[in-house]
Amino acid sequence: MSTITADAGRPVVLEESVAAKILRVVGKTPVHIFLVAIGLLWLVPTLGLLVVSILAPQSFTELGWWKIFAHPSLATWQNYHEIFQNHQITSSLVTTLEIAVGGTVLPIIIAALAGYAFAWLDFPGRDWLFVVVIGLLVVPLQMALIPIFKLYNTLHLYGNVFGLILFHTAFGLPFAVFLLRNFFVGIPKDILESARIDGASEARIFLRLILPLGLPAIASLAIFQFLWTWNDLLVALVFGGNTRPITVAIFTQLRSFSANIDIIAPAAFISLAIPLAVFFAFQRYFVQGLLAGSVK
Amino acid sequence: MGGTSIAAEPPVPGAPQVAEPGRLRRYAVAGAFLAPAFVLLGVWILYPAIYTIVRSFFGQSGFDDFAGIDNYKTLFSTSAITTAIKNNAIWVAIVPALITALGLIFAVLTEKVSWAVAFKTVVFMPMAISLFAAGVIWRIMDRQEPQLGTVNAFVQVFHDMFHPPGALSDAVPSTTNVSGSTTEGFVLRKPLGAGGVALLGVTAIPPTDVPKSAVQAVAPKADPHGITGVVWRDFKPGGGTPGKVESQELGLPGVKVELRDSSGKTVQSATTASNGTFAFKDVPSGQYRAAIGASTFAKPFGGVSWLGSQLITPAIIIAYIWVWAGFAMVVIAAGLAAIPRDVLEAARTDGAGEWQVFRRVTVPLLAPVLSVVFITMIINVLKVFDIVLSVAPESSQADANVIALAMWRTAFTQFDFGLGSAIAVFLFVLVVPVLALNVRRFRREV
């Protein structure tokens, strides 16, 4: 009898678990379908720009870009070929890179110095001053456009890459100081104390200990600043003059959108391919920085 | 700096500061570390902010032209700026809530699938793209003609489901035997009985409107028990006789023909073949009229004018949500991951359904994270600028105006620094209370 019970019992248990499994998978199907649809919805626009950037301009005015999947022969590298011959565009890419690199390196150096002082040096009013620095996050950059425009005209920094870098640096500082100070505070005190007892100068401690140990926070910050400065339009529009990053170069073409699509689409695609590459390479740091404080 | 009283080490009473070179040296070192940041913050943020506030009380020509609060009066009475304020109000009312809600939905649902990382990467990707380039992308997506614009091609699928386009969108009767118009349909004047033949000639059809399957029209044979007929393009290149089916004249396929009784009720309907012929079989005795219904002339979907003045703000908002939903999702997902699993499990074992767990446990526990996302989005939305310039064509930019754009235009295309400063201060005043909430959060973390 006992063998029969066991034999009868087993398939029942098996059946139940299979049924439960099927139920679970079927129950999740709508979620899968919904998420796939959303994912496609999010992918299609960027794909559309990529396809438009390899279409001849007349194809753009006659056909939907998705027709390329039926007629792959519509694809042409002509637009990209021409855009790399276009001096305005190539020089604007160089300008963008200069602004982004300068606007990343400079605020990180300055914010790391200040962040170290706020975290580990002792001076009167330290906490109070730190709150003031964070408080400057409140000031929208629109508040500085007019006076800095006048200042740059006087100092001949108008139309100068360095002027743009300094502006980005200043407005990147409050967040950068906040992020780095909070990271540096977490560095174990013993390490610093023993270095000080060994007679290391503060400069040496900063260079040899703080910067290497703070690398994760610096990396997140670097990605943020790079994307922020690479993607800027407003600051360059106001102070750039003839020094045009890629966003401004595209902006000047927008007036006749369809006619200039052979410049606009590939230029826009190049302008977003680089931040996308940075994003994919350093996604982890990007998300970390985002979570550390999502205010800009 | 009156901070000495809260300094970490209380000064020894009566001890002169100068007498402690070690401390002074330490202060000097701290000063050296802080100096570059303070110079930049002072010259590029603090001084300009004060300057802009003061400047907002002076007229266009400069500091010799004190204007009191005139600029602020102008701000609220200039239609371009009030439009901007209204639009920004719409932005603030809709966008932060929508983005937070979407972020929450995505974050919760991705927890249930094994390919969450792939999904998150795709949705988060637009965050790396500039708002300006995102705007260019959506300007391409938003083109009006459904055969060109992706959004409208998508809308067309649903539109055609409910309002299918007719076989013809334009036509007029070729003879006076047929009366009517494209809006009410065409009717053959002469009533017919069984055995009758209906010749429904129409003309003024552009060649592009002729269905591709159309072939030479054929005059139908009479059927003693039914009514037969033909709908054809009664136009022969080089001239012909109206009302007569001739060679080189094409039948019009896919046209719905109705047979109406004397009270006007449709008793039968038929669709024309590729040579234009149709037939109503077994018609009871009586008098009938043959007619082409108005649905045949229903205009095809012409596309929603996303970039026109009416819908430009919703169009920009869609693009903006596409960029920022990923941000909300990632931040909320991190908050979700921090919720202890056993809290959710406990609720489930207590018999709570998934919805109840979500509503009663997950959302309340996520409240702090949701408010961070919401507040951050309010600030971002108040400062929205680039994406408006790239989505909106010049013709509808006035309707899409926002405060930051109005500020830039006033200050740097009209060079009215007084009014421009006032707009900047206005934006500042809007942002301060919102950001103050966030700074409070920062201080708690410090």
Side-chain angles (χ1 to χ4, degrees):
Chain A
M1 279 303 276
S2 61
T3 44
I4 296 169
T5 335
D7 282 358
R10 212 180 266 158
V12 172
V13 171
L14 212 102
E15 227 166 44
E16 262 179 0
S17 77
V18 167
K21 203 173 175 185
I22 290 171
L23 207 71
R24 212 174 58 233
V25 171
V26 170
K28 274 184 185 173
T29 307
V31 173
H32 282 281
I33 293 173
F34 176 76
L35 291 180
V36 167
I38 294 288
L40 286 178
L41 217 60
W42 251 257
L43 268 182
V44 162
T46 316
L47 180 69
L49 177 72
L50 172 62
V51 172
V52 167
S53 75
I54 55 167
L55 281 181
Q58 64 268 27
S59 309
F60 177 74
T61 50
E62 288 164 7
L63 300 166
W65 57 267
W66 53 90
K67 289 281 193 289
I68 200 167
F69 299 114
H71 313 280
S73 61
L74 287 172
T76 164
W77 291 111
Q78 192 60 26
N79 296 338
Y80 282 95
H81 185 72
E82 271 166 28
I83 213 163
F84 285 115
Q85 311 284 319
N86 184 330
H87 177 67
Q88 269 194 343
I89 299 291
T90 49
S91 72
S92 75
L93 280 170
V94 173
T95 305
T96 312
L97 195 65
E98 287 168 356
I99 296 171
V101 170
T104 303
V105 173
L106 199 59
I108 285 178
I109 295 172
I110 295 174
L113 288 168
Y116 175 59
F118 279 125
W120 290 109
L121 297 181
D122 185 34
F123 57 93
R126 187 175 75 175
D127 295 345
W128 184 81
L129 273 175
F130 183 55
V131 171
V132 169
V133 171
I134 302 173
L136 290 178
L137 272 173
V138 176
V139 182
L141 60 83
Q142 277 81 4
M143 287 292 280
L145 294 180
I146 290 168
I148 298 297
F149 178 78
K150 293 200 151 193
L151 186 74
Y152 278 9
N153 273 316
T154 324
L155 298 176
H156 303 290
L157 276 172
Y158 178 81
N160 187 318
V161 173
F162 202 60
L164 295 174
I165 291 173
L166 285 172
F167 193 92
H168 285 303
T169 302
F171 276 86
L173 274 180
F175 176 71
V177 171
F178 163 76
L179 190 80
L180 293 182
R181 181 263 180 200
N182 282 4
F183 192 87
F184 293 162
V185 160
I187 292 173
K189 200 174 176 178
D190 313 352
I191 302 179
L192 288 160
E193 290 301 324
S194 55
R196 277 180 189 157
I197 290 165
D198 289 347
S201 68
E202 296 298 340
R204 197 178 160 79
I205 291 172
F206 175 75
L207 286 173
R208 291 296 162 89
L209 277 177
I210 298 291
L211 286 188
L213 289 173
L215 215 54
I218 290 172
S220 327
L221 192 61
I223 291 156
F224 257 85
Q225 275 297 127
F226 185 85
L227 294 181
W228 177 253
T229 46
W230 180 280
N231 288 337
D232 163 72
L233 171 73
L234 177 57
V235 175
L237 215 47
V238 172
F239 307 119
N242 287 325
T243 306
R244 291 176 176 158
I246 189 77
T247 45
V248 178
I250 298 171
F251 174 72
T252 59
Q253 307 285 333
L254 283 184
R255 195 180 282 263
S256 25
F257 192 79
S258 290
N260 292 337
I261 193 71
D262 54 334
I263 300 173
I264 294 170
F269 193 79
I270 295 168
S271 90
L272 65 82
I274 286 142
L276 270 189
V278 170
F279 163 70
F280 280 119
F282 305 102
Q283 200 175 356
R284 190 163 58 93
Y285 295 109
F286 187 36
V287 173
Q288 275 169 6
L290 200 79
L291 297 177
S294 34
V295 173
K296 180 79 201 202
Chain B
M1 266 163 255
T4 26
S5 56
I6 57 157
E9 294 165 48
V12 182
Q17 300 269 312
V18 209
E20 290 188 71
R23 173 184 284 190
L24 264 188
R25 213 186 101 75
R26 288 215 311 275
Y27 292 174
V29 171
F33 273 86
L34 287 171
F38 277 48
V39 167
L40 275 158
L41 293 174
V43 176
W44 270 268
I45 303 183
L46 208 55
Y47 148 75
I50 295 163
Y51 179 103
T52 300
I53 293 171
V54 176
R55 185 68 183 79
S56 72
F57 295 102
F58 290 86
Q60 183 163 8
S61 56
F63 284 113
D64 49 1
D65 173 22
F66 184 72
I69 58 163
D70 283 0
N71 285 325
Y72 291 93
K73 286 184 187 158
T74 315
L75 194 159
F76 290 109
S77 57
T78 309
S79 73
I81 305 173
T82 51
T83 306
I85 296 172
K86 271 183 223 149
N87 280 337
N88 254 119
I90 294 173
W91 276 85
V92 171
I94 293 174
V95 178
L98 213 56
I99 287 179
T100 312
L102 274 181
L104 180 62
I105 292 171
F106 294 172
V108 170
L109 290 185
T110 45
E111 285 224 316
K112 302 195 185 300
V113 298
S114 52
W115 45 283
V117 174
F119 178 83
K120 282 183 187 168
T121 307
V122 165
V123 174
F124 192 63
M125 196 181 64
M127 276 292 290
I129 300 174
S130 66
L131 281 163
F132 180 76
V136 171
I137 291 178
W138 280 88
R139 184 139 161 203
I140 294 172
M141 297 296 112
D142 284 342
R143 290 200 291 165
Q144 185 172 347
E145 302 80 357
Q147 65 273 25
L148 301 178
T150 316
V151 177
N152 279 339
F154 198 69
V155 173
Q156 188 181 30
V157 173
F158 293 97
H159 180 274
D160 287 359
M161 236 180 253
F162 300 106
H163 308 279
L168 304 170
S169 59
D170 229 347
V172 293
S174 63
T175 64
T176 50
N177 294 339
V178 179
S179 67
S181 70
T182 53
T183 46
E184 54 200 37
F186 292 167
V187 184
L188 191 64
R189 279 180 200 277
K190 206 177 106 199
L192 298 168
V197 174
L199 295 178
L200 294 160
V202 289
T203 182
I205 302 163
T208 49
D209 264 20
V210 176
K212 287 201 175 67
S213 57
V215 297
Q216 171 65 44
V218 173
K221 292 196 181 74
D223 169 5
H225 304 293
I227 293 173
T228 54
V230 61
V231 180
W232 84 104
R233 186 170 180 241
D234 193 4
F235 168 76
K236 184 179 178 176
T241 319
K244 211 176 146 207
V245 179
E246 294 162 297
S247 69
Q248 294 181 51
E249 294 184 346
L250 294 172
L252 293 170
V255 175
K256 260 182 100 175
V257 186
E258 296 165 355
L259 192 66
R260 296 173 184 166
D261 65 12
S262 49
S263 65
K265 213 180 109 207
T266 302
V267 291
Q268 270 195 58
S269 59
T271 307
T272 56
S274 55
N275 59 8
T277 56
F278 61 90
F280 298 112
K281 293 203 162 63
D282 300 325
V283 180
S285 62
Q287 296 288 302
Y288 300 93
R289 282 169 187 274
I292 305 173
S295 68
T296 292
F297 306 101
K299 292 264 185 289
F301 177 62
V304 179
S305 175
W306 294 106
L307 303 178
S309 58
Q310 296 291 315
L311 289 175
I312 187 64
T313 295
I316 303 168
I317 284 177
I318 290 172
Y320 192 86
I321 289 172
W322 177 76
V323 174
W324 280 97
F327 159 78
M329 176 190 66
V330 165
V331 175
I332 294 171
L336 210 55
I339 294 181
R341 295 292 106 172
D342 44 338
V343 174
L344 301 178
E345 282 312 314
R348 285 191 187 112
T349 24
D350 287 350
E354 280 303 311
W355 171 250
Q356 273 185 309
V357 171
F358 174 75
R359 180 73 194 77
R360 306 270 171 205
V361 184
T362 313
V363 170
L365 284 174
L366 278 180
V369 177
L370 295 179
S371 76
V372 166
V373 171
F374 189 75
I375 290 170
T376 307
M377 287 321 302
I378 293 180
I379 298 162
N380 287 334
V381 156
L382 281 171
K383 297 192 212 167
V384 63
F385 174 79
D386 334 30
I387 199 165
V388 178
L389 271 181
S390 55
V391 176
E394 216 130 321
S395 54
S396 47
Q397 262 176 26
D399 299 284
N401 211 359
V402 286
I403 297 172
L405 186 55
M407 188 269 158
W408 175 70
R409 283 210 191 292
T410 307
F412 298 104
T413 62
Q414 296 152 24
F415 289 94
D416 186 340
F417 286 165
L419 185 55
S421 296
I423 303 174
V425 172
F426 179 65
L427 185 62
F428 179 48
V429 168
L430 291 180
V431 171
V432 167
V434 190
L435 203 55
L437 287 172
N438 250 357
V439 170
R440 255 212 352 242
R441 184 175 60 88
F442 279 154
R443 279 193 69 180
R444 247 181 280 133
E445 283 171 17
V446 166

